[in-house]
Amino acid sequence: MATYTAEQISGYLQHIGYSQDVKQHFAEDPLGLLTRIQILHMARVPFESLSLHYSKHRTVSLDPQDLFTKVVVRGRGGYCMEVNAFFATVLRTLGFALFSTGGRVRGDAGYKGWDHMVNIVTIDNQRYLVDVGFGTNGPTRPVPLQHEHQFITVFPTKGMLEYRGIDAHTDPSQKTWVYSVRQQEDSPWAEMYCFGELEFIPGDFDVMNMRTSSAPQSFFVQSVMCMQTVLDENQREPVGKRILHRDYIKMLNGNETVVTRRLLSEADRVEALKKYFNIVLSAEEQNGIKGLASELKDRSKHA
């Protein structure tokens, strides 16, 4: 399996703001190291769909070296298969035992086909769900694969894992891991996605990636989006999410959702990506969206 060089890992750790002795941290507390770099990663590496809109080719590569260049050298992110494939390569290089598998996201009409990727990391004979690429409702820490295990994502939102069947199954003996969230203590649980423990190989993700990056009905093809976790002032705990979606910027802080800015033109959106996410798009990239349905038509004269 692919790994990164020591120089690349050093560059990545610097990129996310990790300053400890990583080898010592791994030897003393591997779960603590995994938790720390996941939190820092999600605050620095955005979950985004920009390559499907702001480029000539509008394709997504899952090659580990391409991903390193995109994430560390260019300061970008990607959607689930990009950022989770990249993170898997980082973890493998650091010495973690893991495999990647596919997930099914639940939409308004029920579960869809394989369209998500997660990593399963084993530490001291315990398997953990590690997902840095699900967006607003994704887990922000490693989650042990334990039936009915509950945890905080970003307070007060709770997540839960269950090992059970789903309504799409026709065989009642079938079981899978189901990840759900609820926004308040008295809110109902909402299923987000499900996944199993069968290792997927690169060819599986190539097939998934092709459809997710090109099908007209794909959320990522339809929507320009970019999201990062926001940490507290000590850069320790997740306290919110910063989101650009289509024509607005919003902040999720606990129970509060605040739309901080409406985007009235492509120039507005390009400037917002730079200001809020430190993403600078080249002139060639900016031209790539011209003529697409996702292009933001200039409404500044009518605002």
Side-chain angles (χ1 to χ4, degrees):
M1 297 296 289
T3 56
Y4 291 130
T5 65
E7 183 180 6
Q8 286 177 311
I9 288 295
S10 177
Y12 165 72
L13 294 175
Q14 183 178 4
H15 181 66
I16 65 172
Y18 179 89
S19 57
Q20 296 174 247
D21 183 326
V22 70
K23 290 183 179 180
Q24 182 178 354
H25 200 170
F26 179 84
E28 295 177 351
D29 183 11
L31 181 58
L33 170 63
L34 177 58
T35 303
R36 182 66 181 144
I37 60 175
Q38 179 174 351
I39 289 172
L40 289 174
H41 176 102
M42 296 180 73
R44 181 64 182 89
V45 180
F47 174 63
E48 47 102 334
S49 65
L50 303 179
S51 294
L52 299 181
H53 305 272
Y54 293 103
S55 70
K56 284 184 176 181
H57 54 76
R58 293 192 280 278
T59 58
V60 169
S61 172
L62 300 184
D63 178 82
Q65 296 305 322
D66 291 343
L67 292 172
F68 182 87
T69 299
K70 186 177 183 182
V71 171
V72 180
V73 179
R74 300 189 57 220
R76 291 278 299 278
Y79 64 26
C80 67
M81 280 171 270
E82 294 176 277
V83 290
N84 275 323
F86 170 78
F87 200 56
T89 307
V90 168
L91 295 181
R92 192 173 293 112
T93 306
L94 290 175
F96 286 98
L98 73 147
F99 64 88
S100 303
T101 191
R104 302 184 186 99
V105 176
R106 187 177 181 94
D108 294 337
Y111 280 101
K112 297 178 281 184
W114 299 117
D115 57 356
H116 187 50
M117 173 185 185
V118 300
N119 293 311
I120 307 297
V121 179
T122 301
I123 299 175
D124 294 332
N125 296 316
Q126 172 65 60
R127 286 181 168 178
Y128 294 85
L129 164 68
V130 178
D131 184 359
V132 296
F134 189 65
T136 305
N137 289 310
T140 55
R141 294 174 173 80
V143 181
L145 299 192
Q146 297 172 0
H147 180 55
E148 296 185 338
H149 176 77
Q150 296 185 24
F151 52 94
I152 297 293
T153 59
V154 176
F155 183 83
T157 302
K158 273 190 173 181
M160 177 172 66
L161 276 186
E162 299 172 279
Y163 190 64
R164 59 173 174 79
I166 58 174
D167 54 14
H169 286 157
T170 58
D171 178 356
S173 70
Q174 290 290 310
K175 290 186 178 182
T176 189
W177 288 103
V178 179
Y179 170 59
S180 304
V181 301
R182 66 179 181 189
Q183 308 300 329
Q184 304 286 343
E185 196 63 39
D186 57 352
S187 301
W189 289 100
E191 295 176 34
M192 295 289 107
Y193 62 79
C194 68
F195 62 95
E197 295 181 63
L198 171 69
E199 180 174 6
F200 277 34
I201 61 175
D204 297 321
F205 293 116
D206 286 341
V207 173
M208 292 165 58
N209 184 44
M210 178 64 71
R211 186 181 189 282
T212 305
S213 65
S214 62
Q217 63 268 39
S218 168
F219 169 80
F220 301 103
V221 172
Q222 295 175 352
S223 302
V224 173
M225 53 79 62
C226 189
M227 195 218 76
Q228 280 178 322
T229 301
V230 177
L231 303 183
D232 62 18
E233 60 183 12
N234 297 317
Q235 301 295 292
R236 301 297 303 181
E237 294 295 323
V239 294
K241 300 286 179 75
R242 181 185 300 112
I243 301 165
L244 181 153
H245 184 220
R246 294 180 177 168
D247 64 347
Y248 62 81
I249 296 280
K250 70 179 181 180
M251 289 289 299
L252 301 181
N253 294 309
N255 293 325
E256 189 177 19
T257 301
V258 179
V259 176
T260 60
R261 182 173 171 184
R262 286 287 177 182
L263 307 174
L264 302 177
S265 66
E266 271 303 323
D268 227 9
R269 189 155 62 186
V270 168
E271 190 274 331
L273 286 168
K274 180 179 179 180
K275 177 179 179 180
Y276 295 101
F277 300 94
N278 200 31
I279 291 177
V280 178
L281 297 176
S282 68
E284 180 180 342
E285 288 172 322
Q286 293 176 47
N287 286 334
I289 200 170
K290 290 183 178 179
L292 297 185
S294 56
E295 180 183 8
L296 198 55
K297 304 303 182 184
D298 193 342
R299 294 173 294 168
S300 57
K301 298 181 178 129
H302 308 288

